[in-house]
C-alpha cells in the first residue's frame, strides 16, 4: 500500500522559511512518474505549487517562482519543498502528490504565515 507522509509545516513570520518533506513508502521511488506539491487555502481550490518529474524537470506556479524549490532524495525516498520569503498568502494546507498510473496523496500539513 502506498503512503505519502508530509511533515515540516508550522507557523512562521512573513519573510521566513520552511522546508516541507514528503516521505514515500510502498512504491519504488524511481518508478514514480512525477511528484508535486499542492496547496489549498480556506475557501479556495487546491492548486499545484511545484512539480518534479522523474527526469528532473521542474515547474512552479507563478506565485512561488524564485521563492520555492522542489527537490528529492532517492536514498530517503523523500521529496522536499523549500519555501523562502514566505508571504501571508502562502498560508494553506500543503499536500504531496505522487503519480504512477494513478494519483496518491498525503494527508497534508498546515503552513501559516503571520506576524
Amino acid at each position: 500500500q502506498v503512503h505519502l507522509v508530509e511533515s515540516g509545516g508550522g507557523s512562521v513570520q512573513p519573510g521566513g522559511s520552511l522546508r516541507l518533506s514528503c516521505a514515500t513508502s510502498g512504491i519504488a521511488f524511481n518508478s514514480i512518474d512525477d511528484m508535486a506539491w499542492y496547496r489549498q487555502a480556506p475557501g479556495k481550490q487546491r492548486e499545484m505549487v511545484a512539480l518534479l518529474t522523474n527526469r528532473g524537470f521542474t515547474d512552479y506556479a507563478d506565485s512561488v517562482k524564485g521563492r520555492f524549490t522542489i527537490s528529492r532524495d532517492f536514498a530517503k525516498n523523500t521529496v522536499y519543498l523549500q519555501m523562502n520569503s514566505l508571504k501571508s498568502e502562502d498560508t494553506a494546507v500543503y499536500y504531496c502528490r505522487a503519480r504512477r498510473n494513478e494519483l496518491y496523496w498525503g494527508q497534508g500539513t498546515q503552513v501559516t504565515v503571520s506576524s
Side-chain angles (χ1 to χ4, degrees):
Q1 191 170 3
V2 179
H3 289 285
L4 279 63
V5 179
E6 300 99 334
S7 60
S11 296
V12 64
Q13 292 186 340
S17 298
L18 284 173
R19 188 178 79 157
L20 305 183
S21 299
C22 174
T24 68
S25 62
I27 186 170
F29 195 65
N30 58 7
S31 72
I32 296 172
D33 294 315
D34 60 63
M35 293 198 70
W37 286 95
Y38 285 70
R39 67 186 180 188
Q40 187 167 20
K44 294 188 177 181
Q45 289 189 332
R46 190 174 295 190
E47 62 172 350
M48 192 182 76
V49 173
L51 172 74
L52 175 61
T53 72
N54 59 358
R55 295 195 176 194
F57 172 81
T58 59
D59 196 18
Y60 298 91
D62 288 342
S63 58
V64 307
K65 280 181 181 176
R67 300 189 297 122
F68 290 11
T69 303
I70 188 171
S71 63
R72 61 190 169 186
D73 186 332
F74 283 98
K76 296 183 178 180
N77 294 339
T78 298
V79 171
Y80 302 98
L81 185 67
Q82 178 67 45
M83 306 186 295
N84 299 327
S85 302
L86 283 161
K87 305 175 181 179
S88 58
E89 51 263 44
D90 294 320
T91 295
V93 177
Y94 284 71
Y95 298 90
C96 176
R97 190 269 291 152
R99 184 176 66 88
R100 178 178 177 267
N101 298 323
E102 58 185 281
L103 301 182
Y104 302 94
W105 292 89
Q107 81 289 349
T109 185
Q110 176 70 46
V111 172
T112 302
V113 185
S114 174
S115 56

